[in-house]
Each structure stands twice: as structure tokens, then as C-alpha cells.
Amino acid sequence: MKAIQYRAYGDYAENKVVDLPAPAANDGQVLVRMRTVGINPLDNTFRSGHHYAATPENLPRVGGQMGAGVQIPRVPSSP
């Protein structure tokens, strides 16, 4: 899956397009195939390091707090 990720806090130059493994949904969760994603002011606050949760333990981080997509059907797990 393609994602916008940053590995250090800083300006826009920290945003990199990367390939990541596709996520899996656990019980009680849904998986959404995103059709469009936006980087909004909250993402910029995180990336710049000006948020209370901006600690080295929270890196690397994937941006894109808003978006639109379609739910991917999932096969229920066996009991």
C-alpha cells in the first residue's frame, strides 16, 4: 500500500511516499480501501512536532487523518 510517512519531525520535506505492507482487520474492525486521502492541519501539527503526542516513540508515522474509500469485505474468522 502507498502511504505518506515521516520518520522525523520537521517541515513538509519530511513527508515521503512509501510502500507499506497491507493492513489486516481484526475482529470488530473494518478495512477501508482509500480512494483519496488528505493531509490536513492536524497532520501538519503532528509532523512539525508541535503536538503533545509528538515524541520519538510515535515515529515513524503515517499522515492522512481524513479520506474517503470503500469498505473491503472480509471473511469471518473461524470459531
Side-chain angles (χ1 to χ4, degrees):
M1 108 179 161
K2 296 275 188 204
I4 297 174
Q5 184 182 66
Y6 54 93
R7 296 180 177 269
Y9 297 113
D11 64 9
Y12 292 103
E14 297 299 330
N15 288 337
K16 306 290 183 206
V17 177
V18 297
D19 286 310
L20 297 176
N26 295 319
D27 288 337
Q29 296 179 328
V30 297
L31 194 58
V32 176
R33 176 169 284 126
M34 301 305 289
R35 299 291 189 200
T36 185
V37 176
I39 299 296
N40 66 29
L42 179 58
D43 292 306
N44 293 332
T45 301
F46 272 104
R47 193 212 57 253
S48 67
H50 295 125
H51 191 273
Y52 71 90
T55 62
E57 297 82 31
N58 289 331
L59 292 174
R61 187 175 178 91
V62 173
Q65 298 288 326
M66 62 182 184
V70 294
Q71 182 176 338
I72 298 172
R74 105 185 203 9
V75 178
S77 56
S78 301

